[in-house]
Amino acid sequence: MKNSRRSFIKKSAMAGSGVLVAHAGFTASSYNRIMGSNDRIRAGVIGFSDRHRSTHMPCFMNHYKELNFDVVALSDIWSRRREEGVAQWKAKMQHDIITCRNNEELYDLKLVDAVFISTADFQHARHAIQAVAGGCDAYVEKPFAETMEDNRAALKAIKASDKIVQIGSQRRSGSNYQAANDFIRSGKFGNIVMVELKWNVNQPGRWRRPELLPLLKEEDTDWKRWLINRPDVPFDARKYLEFRLFWPYSSGLPGQWMSHQIDTVHWFSGLQHPRSVIANGGIYMWKDGRKNWDTLTAAFDYGPTDDQSSGFQVSFQSRMDNGDDDPSEIYYSNGGELNLATNKVTPSGGLTAHYADAMKMPANLLPEMSLSTVDKVVSSANTGGDSLTSAHIRNWMECVRSRKQPHAPVEAGYSHSIATIMTNAAVRTGSKVTFDETTQEVMADNKPFQY
């Protein structure tokens, strides 16, 4: 049944009947008659998620005509999302969209050059492996991976391919973040001595889907396929739709929010992961059956693994109550601070001349300066076509054409995943967590962390 349906879809697509109609323009012969079609990049959608609907779609629409991209196929294992996605993309692109019940059907068509991946957190790495095996470039949402097994497998598969993979860490495409990276790496900032990361919201419904829960029936989706390599458990609509609240489908705060901010630490410092992590917190506010914490404070030690005498600390604090939904990242040196909430460098807190003279050392206070035009971080659940993500998706689309490496290549995703997995391990075990360079394993209680 499965193989015959794949064969039917593939034959229908190539013949221009059944799944596709003649005016859709996707048959081997008719597609080539469209102006510029020989140079057109055909994109597919892996998972018609809220993130894809609210952000990928408008950002893609900002650039697709100029860069000659098209959306031709969509895969989602839930029939409702699949139908919604096909209808919305058909309205946008003004032609039929190939409908696929799963990713294998989409890749079997051999009609797609690149894909958007915005499925559940724990699925990103595995779906990225599928994409490059299917011959496609990919834009892969963060967190890249929630276990080191998936992280290592995806890194290996992508590095062995010639595919362009952009991780959805959109800060890397912001001019202010690029200016901050240039300033710190130039040496003008001085050594980083501390980084403070904060992300607080007061949104009771964040990551909840109560209106959709009664609409999701097991017979309308493919629960076994959804689980991929996670333990076989009975169907649960909450885990499927509200996965961010439940480990091992998501780490919650570390994977969703910290992954963005800790990525800037790796980028600016050139370090690939923390040396150690400790964490504390709990479910203090939202007693709704969730398993992932609603409040978290984590402390990281960063520095060269072969020189424990140098380095700096990073703190990450996040709560899902009493928050202004305005994330901040502040970098400190002994000469002042670089604040990515205000996008300014200032001598605030720097060693003053009075104390420097007493210690017979230069003050080296930082200048007052603006980083660049502000690219405001939009942190609401549905960011729309925000400028950072729009620039990031454009960068990926340009790199699909040029074959240059994008702003956030797979190594960036691999590194932020190490940090988020280390944090989750500290949350789950209560231990001080480290990373084994030789085995590439996150270590808690002297053994690899696993779910």
Side-chain angles (χ1 to χ4, degrees), residues 312-384:
F312 57 92
Q313 191 175 66
V314 177
S315 67
F316 171 75
Q317 189 279 320
S318 184
R319 61 180 181 268
M320 301 187 78
D321 57 74
N322 195 329
D324 55 10
D325 198 18
D326 193 16
S328 67
E329 297 121 65
I330 305 177
Y331 285 74
Y332 297 94
S333 74
N334 204 37
E337 70 176 43
L338 185 155
N339 188 322
L340 282 156
T342 63
N343 288 291
K344 295 184 182 299
V345 173
T346 69
S348 177
L351 185 65
T352 64
H354 172 76
Y355 289 104
D357 288 345
M359 299 296 294
K360 294 183 172 54
M361 59 187 296
N364 291 329
L365 288 176
L366 294 176
E368 291 264 5
M369 59 177 286
S370 175
L371 288 170
S372 73
T373 302
V374 175
D375 284 312
K376 176 68 174 175
V377 172
V378 180
S379 60
S380 58
N382 297 320
T383 64

Side-chain angles (χ1 to χ4, degrees), residues 399-417:
C399 290
V400 167
R401 290 211 160 279
S402 69
R403 312 314 292 174
K404 294 179 180 178
Q405 280 297 297
H407 290 155
V410 63
E411 291 86 354
Y414 187 76
S415 288
H416 85 227
S417 295

Side-chain angles (χ1 to χ4, degrees), residues 177-194:
Y177 284 91
Q178 292 168 353
N181 178 55
D182 291 343
F183 185 72
I184 290 175
R185 286 179 174 266
S186 73
K188 297 175 183 177
F189 183 68
N191 292 331
I192 299 170
V193 297
M194 179 71 190

Side-chain angles (χ1 to χ4, degrees), residues 269-291:
S269 70
L271 298 169
Q272 296 179 331
H273 58 77
R275 290 187 294 209
S276 66
V277 184
I278 56 174
N280 211 334
I283 304 172
Y284 298 125
M285 185 69 194
W286 304 116
K287 314 293 185 179
D288 55 7
R290 70 182 64 201
K291 299 302 180 184

Side-chain angles (χ1 to χ4, degrees), residues 134-147:
C136 289
D137 301 317
Y139 184 98
V140 185
E141 271 300 339
K142 55 84 230 158
F144 182 58
E146 292 280 24
T147 65

